[in-house]
Amino acid sequence: MNSREIIVNVLGNVFNEKAYSNIVLNKTLNKAEISAKDKAFITEVVYGTVKYRYTIDVILSHYVKKGFKSVEPYVLNVLRSSIYQIRYLSKVPDFAVVNEAVELSKKHSSGKVAKFVNGVLRNYLRNKDEEYVKGNIEDILAFKYSFPRWMVKFFMNDFGKEKCEIILKGLNQVPGVTVRVNNIKKSYEQAYSELSELGYTIEEGEICPEALRIIKGKSIENNPLFKEGCITVQDESAMLVGMVMDLEENMTVIDLCSAPGGKTTHMAEIMNNTGKILAFDIHENKLKLIRDNSERLGINNIEANTLDASEFHEDLEGVAHRVLMDVPCSGLGIIRKKPEIKWNKNKNELKDLVNIQRKILKNGSRYLKKGGILVYSTCTLNKEENEKNINWFLKENPEFKLEKIYVGDLDNLIYHQEGYVTILPNKYMDGFFIAKLKKS
């Protein structure tokens, strides 16, 4: 199977079966006996085609006169990946893209289909500079940044035009790699020095004291510092959660939605492996990720168990100094890592999540000791799931007060008057929301 066949098969899984691009891509590439160069090409085209699907489909609709339903899904994904290469990649000559697409179509289907594919792509090449979208600002932004129109309107309503465009641009960035230095095993200076000696180009993180950015270098998972548990991959937005919790040694902490354990292990490191962290998740199979991460990082103060956070558990009432609820959310802030979220989410799903989030908030607040701190976080940019949930909770629970969060001055941080913070996405930080509440 050649590179372009793999690309089309992976796209079929993502678009037609709603698979996660990163999972299906990793599984496929691990099995394939191909060069590192081919793997990089496949990765680039798959993520690029998923990311720019809206724009690509608008273009294709001009040349597929009978509509997409007249084209079998496999052939449609041949066309999508080809338009992506022609429009967004300069390293592959246009004629080569067309020839490969035609050969792939012949192999999969009839000569008639191959002729159709050839005609569509050559039509596009003749009209590459055509202005495909005219109309209002939402249509223009949807085409320019390749987001479904409802999502553009959604961000525009919540953030206004200027910030909406910043968000769309940020969510299309290729994510940079950031690692967190594990202070239990290695100092920041030692990790920095050893990574440099191993040939990595690195720089300090933007805002978190434990953060290191990998600018250039081999896969982090194969790095000896990673294998020894001296570093772990984590986005800086996620690191901020542990930073704002005012953690101290020997505390009891509850993490209600903890898998895969990035924030859980960060809290353990901040507490110098003392005290106790009760890490819960509803899925038993995900707890292994927490335990494996803890073992690699040399952490032994985490107890991982299954628990449905949307149900109240009497035995946990009033036991914790700190409670973290990084709740299940729509994930609109992490589209740069999971671009299929653009196509797999709809407005109705966003509303369904709010009820679950409020149940978790209500239950988690009861596990806190008096004077304790509760941190609520999401990786989404939806005010219904963020600000409105917190405002609802405060009305229902007057014994809680918002604590002001301040972590530094960055262009992508929005400090709200009430005290919570919204993080807009960019190359090194996911879109995020964090609120900190104290129980009086």
Side-chain angles (χ1 to χ4, degrees):
M1 195 181 290
N2 69 26
S3 298
R4 284 175 173 82
E5 281 181 284
I6 293 172
I7 288 165
V8 175
N9 287 338
V10 171
L11 290 174
N13 281 311
V14 175
F15 291 148
N16 308 330
E17 296 169 33
K18 293 197 171 184
Y20 286 115
S21 53
N22 59 330
I23 294 172
V24 70
L25 192 57
N26 288 340
K27 279 184 182 174
T28 305
L29 293 182
N30 286 338
K31 288 179 189 172
E33 293 181 9
I34 52 175
S35 68
K37 186 180 175 183
D38 283 343
K39 285 183 179 181
F41 174 72
I42 290 165
T43 301
E44 185 171 12
V45 177
V46 166
Y47 277 125
T49 307
V50 176
K51 186 191 296 183
Y52 289 104
R53 175 179 153 176
Y54 180 89
T55 305
I56 291 166
D57 282 0
V58 168
I59 291 167
L60 281 173
S61 67
H62 281 68
Y63 306 108
V64 180
K65 300 300 182 188
K66 291 182 181 178
F68 289 176
K69 285 184 179 176
S70 67
V71 185
E72 60 177 302
Y74 186 92
V75 175
L76 183 57
N77 288 329
V78 170
L79 288 169
R80 282 170 170 156
S81 58
S82 301
I83 296 287
Y84 171 75
Q85 291 170 71
I86 293 167
R87 189 173 181 85
Y88 297 102
L89 287 189
S90 56
K91 58 187 169 189
V92 186
D94 293 347
F95 74 87
V97 175
V98 176
N99 289 345
E100 288 282 356
V102 169
E103 290 305 312
L104 201 52
S105 303
K106 277 182 189 172
K107 190 174 177 180
H108 178 79
S109 205
S110 66
K112 189 178 177 183
V113 170
K115 191 176 177 183
F116 164 75
V117 166
N118 184 58
V120 168
L121 294 179
R122 294 203 179 279
N123 255 341
Y124 171 62
L125 284 171
R126 284 192 289 271
N127 299 282
K128 265 205 291 190
D129 299 325
E130 184 176 323
E131 193 178 348
Y132 286 94
V133 170
K134 296 170 187 174
N136 64 31
I137 187 66
E138 288 161 11
D139 290 325
I140 290 165
L141 290 177
F143 183 79
K144 180 179 179 181
Y145 294 105
S146 195
F147 278 77
R149 197 176 176 282
W150 76 262
M151 208 177 274
V152 173
K153 190 175 181 180
F154 183 83
F155 288 138
M156 189 93 75
N157 287 344
D158 273 4
F159 293 92
K161 179 188 174 295
E162 189 182 333
K163 283 199 169 66
C164 169
E165 194 157 5
I166 289 168
I167 289 167
L168 300 177
K169 190 176 180 181
L171 291 174
N172 273 349
Q173 291 271 6
V174 176
V177 178
T178 305
V179 297
R180 186 184 81 227
V181 178
N182 177 6
N183 61 281
I184 296 168
K185 290 197 169 187
K186 193 82 68 176
S187 73
Y188 188 88
E189 291 73 21
Q190 285 173 316
Y192 194 108
S193 173
E194 289 178 33
L195 281 169
S196 297
E197 286 168 15
L198 288 164
Y200 287 81
T201 305
I202 50 177
E203 60 184 35
E204 291 182 12
E206 190 79 71
I207 202 162
C208 300
E210 308 94 329
L212 269 175
R213 289 177 177 173
I214 309 296
I215 308 302
K216 195 176 179 185
K218 294 177 184 175
S219 168
I220 278 295
E221 281 78 5
N222 297 324
N223 182 291
L225 271 78
F226 180 86
K227 289 178 178 177
E228 292 160 15
C230 303
I231 58 172
T232 198
V233 177
Q234 189 177 35
D235 188 88
E236 276 200 79
S237 295
M239 287 186 217
L240 287 176
V241 173
M243 269 180 65
V244 306
M245 288 189 71
D246 297 346
L247 295 161
E248 296 172 16
E249 292 188 6
N250 299 308
M251 280 184 164
T252 297
V253 178
I254 290 177
D255 186 350
L256 280 174
C257 312
S258 58
K263 298 177 191 70
T264 322
T265 52
H266 187 205
M267 291 190 293
E269 290 165 16
I270 293 170
M271 290 162 63
N272 289 317
N273 213 5
T274 65
K276 183 165 63 177
I277 298 176
L278 304 174
F280 297 113
D281 201 89
I282 194 168
H283 301 291
E284 172 65 39
N285 60 315
K286 288 186 177 179
L287 294 176
K288 187 178 185 300
L289 297 169
I290 302 168
R291 293 177 185 128
D292 289 350
N293 269 330
S294 300
E295 188 177 343
R296 182 177 61 83
L297 296 166
I299 290 164
N300 53 31
N301 67 341
I302 295 172
E303 296 175 16
N305 290 293
T306 51
L307 177 135
D308 184 348
S310 66
E311 294 176 1
F312 179 67
H313 298 267
E314 206 172 308
D315 57 318
L316 296 175
E317 190 162 15
V319 305
H321 299 94
R322 302 286 184 268
V323 173
L324 169 61
M325 44 189 80
D326 184 56
V327 295
C329 71
S330 55
L332 300 184
I334 57 169
I335 287 172
R336 67 195 183 108
K337 290 175 181 167
K338 294 181 178 177
E340 63 277 358
I341 287 172
K342 291 181 183 183
W343 324 118
N344 293 349
K345 294 287 179 188
N346 60 60
K347 281 189 279 190
N348 293 333
E349 283 180 299
L350 307 195
K351 289 174 185 173
D352 294 341
L353 283 163
V354 170
N355 289 331
I356 296 167
Q357 291 159 348
R358 290 187 176 186
K359 283 179 185 175
I360 295 171
L361 248 174
K362 187 178 176 182
N363 294 333
S365 69
R366 293 177 66 183
Y367 304 150
L368 204 61
K369 293 176 182 289
K370 286 180 182 176
I373 287 171
L374 176 160
V375 169
Y376 174 91
S377 65
T378 74
C379 57
T380 195
L381 299 166
N382 174 13
K383 292 193 175 180
E384 294 282 343
E385 298 176 71
N386 295 340
E387 292 94 320
K388 289 184 181 179
N389 269 348
I390 295 302
N391 295 339
W392 164 84
F393 176 77
L394 290 170
K395 279 181 187 174
E396 298 279 319
N397 300 274
E399 73 275 22
F400 279 85
K401 296 284 183 285
L402 272 165
E403 298 269 290
K404 277 201 180 294
I405 293 173
Y406 178 78
V407 289
D409 292 320
L410 288 179
D411 292 343
N412 66 319
L413 299 183
I414 301 173
Y415 290 108
H416 300 267
Q417 190 178 351
E418 294 85 347
Y420 32 70
V421 62
T422 298
I423 304 156
L424 301 183
N426 60 24
K427 184 174 173 63
Y428 284 100
M429 294 180 83
D430 286 328
F432 237 77
F433 173 85
I434 307 172
K436 178 181 177 182
L437 301 105
K438 189 166 187 175
K439 189 174 189 176
S440 61

